[in-house]
């Protein structure tokens, strides 16, 4: 059996606040009633409040011999290490075939001396799977609309089952923002509203250019990433679930068709392309545009970090499917078109791989991909532990999970 390792970005485990009037607080009153022997508390001495969070992470365990999910592991057969330090597992929840089994219930969080913490209210919602369908229609060509709608119909058939909780959000023209629900009819009724509104290659080339490249392209990317980032922040509030984000988009490239855009700009200025390249102003603008790739890397990194903090897995799907070549009305050199397709697909691969998901790009067999996502989200464990790391300022932790069997 293979050992399973997963990396998490864990938030601050301790929140420290200072109260300067201990006489008016319940903590100070309790301390006044039962003072420690030989200890005299000075007037005005600050009281520190500390809380400890339960860290949870999901893990999939498969047998190396047949790649089947192992569903009979006990809590003592798992080992969790945070930055190389072994942690004590306090909770273990198994989700197998859509059913949830509570194998180990976490005890109350360790309470610091003099601190009164409210008890957590139990939840009656026992759904095992949560899907968020994120459709970036600002980066979906209108010609991909029928394929996207057909993809969502297949998701209703092969992925989202009765009892699954799901929501759907778009970034642009479709104007869809449906909160998490169990009603499958809601998704069915929204399919007809999904419409791609992405820029064509010709629109990118002929559009306005700025120091950061095509201005409309960068604006749309900012809207898409901001929307996705906010969704990841909201998913942080949903705990002890495996959260899968179905990210439907054609990908991102912040500096596409560079040579064609140069020729278009030269034609507008009635100069030769070579003369424009030697212009000092254009050379300065071109230098700024060369940083577009680093800007895209930063945007992708911020989004994947947010997804990891929310313990959400991104499954990216490019509805364009297998791309054999450009359409006749694109009028872009083949070399530039191929580079554009490669870069946009690579951006989707990064989002998926950095969050533990898969990228469904350059393929037409969506059924196989949806079945794989269904399997990965149906069988998993959720482990929980109280971190023994005393440093509250260390925001990035490496978590390794192993099995002893």
């Amino acid at each position: 059996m293979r050992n399973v390792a997963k990396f998490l970005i864990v938030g601050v485990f301790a929140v420290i606040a200072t109260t300067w009037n201990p006489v008016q607080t319940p903590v100070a009153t309790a301390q006044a009633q039962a003072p420690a022997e030989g200890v005299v508390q000075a007037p005005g001495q600050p009281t520190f409040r500390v809380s400890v969070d339960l860290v949870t992470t999901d893990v999939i365990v498969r047998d190396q011999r047949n790649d089947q999910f192992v569903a009979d592991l006990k809590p003592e057969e798992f080992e969790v290490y945070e930055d190389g330090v072994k942690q004590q597992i306090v909770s273990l929840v198994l989700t197998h075939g859509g059913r949830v089994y509570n194998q180990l219930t976490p005890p109350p969080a360790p309470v610091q001396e003099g601190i009164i913490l409210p008890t957590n209210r139990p939840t009656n919602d026992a759904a095992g799977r949560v899907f968020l369908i994120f459709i970036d229609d600002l980066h979906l060509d209108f010609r991909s609309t029928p394929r996207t709608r057909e993809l969502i119909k297949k998701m209703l058939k092969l992925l989202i089952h009765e009892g699954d909780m799901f929501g759907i959000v778009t970034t642009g023209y479709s104007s869809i923002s449906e909160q998490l629900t169990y009603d499958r009819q809601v998704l069915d009724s929204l399919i007809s509203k999904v419409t791609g509104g992405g820029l064509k290659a010709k629109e990118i080339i002929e559009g306005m250019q700025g120091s950061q490249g095509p201005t409309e392209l960068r604006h749309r990317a900012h809207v898409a990433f901001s929307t996705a980032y906010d969704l990841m922040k909201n998913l942080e509030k949903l705990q002890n679930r495996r959260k899968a984000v179905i990210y439907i988009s054609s990908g991102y490239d912040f500096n596409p068709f560079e040579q064609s855009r140069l020729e278009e700009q030269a034609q507008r200025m009635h100069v030769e392309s070579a003369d424009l390249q030697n212009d000092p102003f254009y050379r300065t603008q071109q230098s700024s545009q060369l940083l577009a790739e680093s800007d895209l890397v930063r945007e992708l990194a911020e989004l994947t970090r947010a997804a990891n903090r929310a313990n959400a897995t991104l499954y990216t799907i490019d509805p364009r499917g297998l791309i054999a070549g450009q359409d006749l009305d694109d009028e872009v050199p083949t070399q530039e078109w191929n580079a554009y397709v490669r870069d946009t697909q690579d951006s989707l691969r990064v989002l998926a791989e950095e969050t533990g998901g898969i990228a469904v790009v350059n393929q037409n067999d969506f059924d196989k991909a949806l079945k794989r996502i269904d399997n990965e989200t149906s069988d998993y464990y959720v482990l929980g532990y109280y971190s023994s790391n005393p440093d509250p300022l260390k925001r990035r932790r490496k978590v390794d999970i192993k099995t002893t069997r």
Side-chain angles (χ1 to χ4, degrees):
M1 181 180 304
R2 70 180 64 164
N3 290 333
V4 180
K6 186 161 184 178
F7 299 84
L8 294 178
I9 299 178
V10 183
V12 178
F13 289 91
V15 179
I16 301 178
T18 305
T19 305
W20 292 100
N21 191 356
V23 178
Q24 298 178 357
T25 62
V27 177
T29 303
Q31 291 176 346
Q33 294 175 354
E37 183 178 354
V39 178
V40 179
Q41 181 173 348
Q45 180 178 349
T47 300
F48 296 96
R49 298 178 182 268
V50 181
S51 63
V52 181
D53 293 333
L54 176 68
V55 183
T56 59
T57 178
D58 56 87
V59 58
I60 301 174
V61 184
R62 299 191 183 278
D63 195 320
Q64 285 184 334
R65 295 169 296 182
N66 52 26
D67 200 36
Q68 295 296 315
F69 178 75
V70 181
D72 60 346
L73 290 173
K74 305 301 181 183
E76 58 270 15
E77 294 181 288
F78 284 98
E79 292 182 349
V80 179
Y81 296 87
E82 182 182 282
D83 291 336
V85 179
K86 189 175 181 179
Q87 306 292 319
Q88 181 181 0
I89 298 176
V90 297
S91 68
L92 178 63
V93 178
L94 166 65
T95 300
H96 185 43
R99 295 187 176 183
V100 181
Y101 304 90
N102 237 335
Q103 297 190 347
L104 180 62
T105 303
V111 180
Q112 304 295 328
E113 181 180 358
I115 295 181
I116 302 175
L117 298 177
T119 58
N120 292 329
R121 293 183 300 174
T123 176
N124 296 324
D125 194 348
R129 303 201 306 180
V130 177
F131 292 101
L132 176 60
I133 304 173
F134 178 76
I135 303 177
D136 183 12
D137 50 359
L138 288 176
H139 293 85
L140 287 179
D141 188 78
F142 179 77
R143 291 168 292 190
S144 298
T145 298
R147 295 177 63 90
T148 305
R149 293 178 179 178
E150 184 63 27
L151 172 61
I152 300 176
K153 292 180 181 179
K154 290 183 177 181
M155 290 171 58
L156 276 173
K157 179 181 178 181
L158 302 174
L159 181 60
I160 300 176
H161 308 299
E162 291 294 338
D164 289 338
M165 181 183 290
F166 67 91
I168 179 171
V169 176
T170 61
T171 60
Y173 300 100
S174 303
S175 300
I176 300 175
S177 179
E178 183 63 39
Q179 300 296 324
L180 293 175
T181 179
Y182 292 104
D183 189 355
R184 290 161 47 87
Q185 294 182 353
V186 172
L187 181 57
D188 190 35
S189 64
L190 294 174
I191 292 178
S192 60
K193 295 182 62 176
V194 176
T195 304
L199 296 173
K200 297 181 179 180
K202 186 176 182 180
E203 293 174 329
I204 297 176
I205 295 171
E206 297 179 353
M208 294 294 296
Q209 308 293 321
S211 60
Q212 295 182 328
T215 54
E216 178 64 17
L217 183 70
R218 292 298 294 268
H219 169 70
R220 289 170 175 243
H222 175 73
V223 172
F225 283 122
S226 298
T227 304
Y229 186 85
D230 290 341
L231 291 175
M232 297 305 108
K233 296 292 290 183
N234 289 332
L235 282 179
E236 287 188 45
K237 304 173 185 178
L238 193 63
Q239 299 177 353
N240 301 327
R241 308 279 184 85
R242 180 171 177 81
K243 293 159 279 190
V245 179
I246 312 301
Y247 198 111
I248 302 176
S249 174
S250 295
Y252 310 95
D253 182 3
F254 281 2
N255 193 28
F257 315 122
E258 186 176 3
Q259 184 61 33
S260 296
R261 285 163 37 218
L262 168 65
E263 295 175 357
E264 173 67 22
Q265 192 170 356
Q267 184 178 358
R268 290 179 179 178
M269 300 175 66
H270 304 288
V271 297
E272 297 293 333
S273 300
D275 296 335
L276 182 59
Q277 284 182 312
N278 294 326
D279 182 81
F281 176 79
Y282 177 80
R283 292 172 66 91
T284 301
Q285 186 183 65
Q286 188 179 36
S287 299
S288 300
Q289 292 177 358
L290 291 177
L291 298 176
E293 184 175 352
S294 61
D295 292 340
L296 178 57
V297 171
R298 177 180 54 81
E299 293 278 12
L300 295 175
E302 289 182 358
L303 181 54
T304 55
R305 280 197 295 266
N308 286 328
R309 283 194 297 269
N311 201 21
T313 303
L314 301 184
Y315 294 94
T316 54
I317 302 179
D318 185 353
R320 294 177 296 182
L322 181 62
I323 302 176
Q326 59 179 310
D327 294 329
L328 296 177
D329 58 345
D330 285 329
E331 301 178 0
V332 178
T334 303
Q335 184 177 1
E336 284 192 319
W337 173 258
N338 291 338
Y340 171 71
V341 172
R342 181 181 62 253
D343 291 342
T344 53
Q345 291 178 345
D346 285 346
S347 65
L348 297 178
R349 291 189 179 98
V350 170
L351 290 175
E353 293 172 359
E354 292 299 317
T355 57
I358 59 173
V360 185
V361 298
N362 207 31
Q363 59 178 285
N364 293 326
D365 193 356
F366 294 135
D367 291 9
K368 181 179 178 181
L370 293 176
K371 290 178 181 178
R372 178 178 174 182
I373 297 173
D374 184 40
N375 291 335
E376 290 191 1
T377 55
S378 297
D379 302 319
Y380 61 93
Y381 294 90
V382 176
L383 304 176
Y385 67 92
Y386 292 112
S387 175
S388 60
N389 192 330
D391 185 2
L393 299 180
K394 189 171 184 181
R395 300 182 61 87
R396 188 178 182 89
R397 313 285 177 91
K398 177 183 178 182
V399 177
D400 294 325
I401 302 176
K402 302 179 181 180
T403 58
T404 58
R405 182 182 298 187

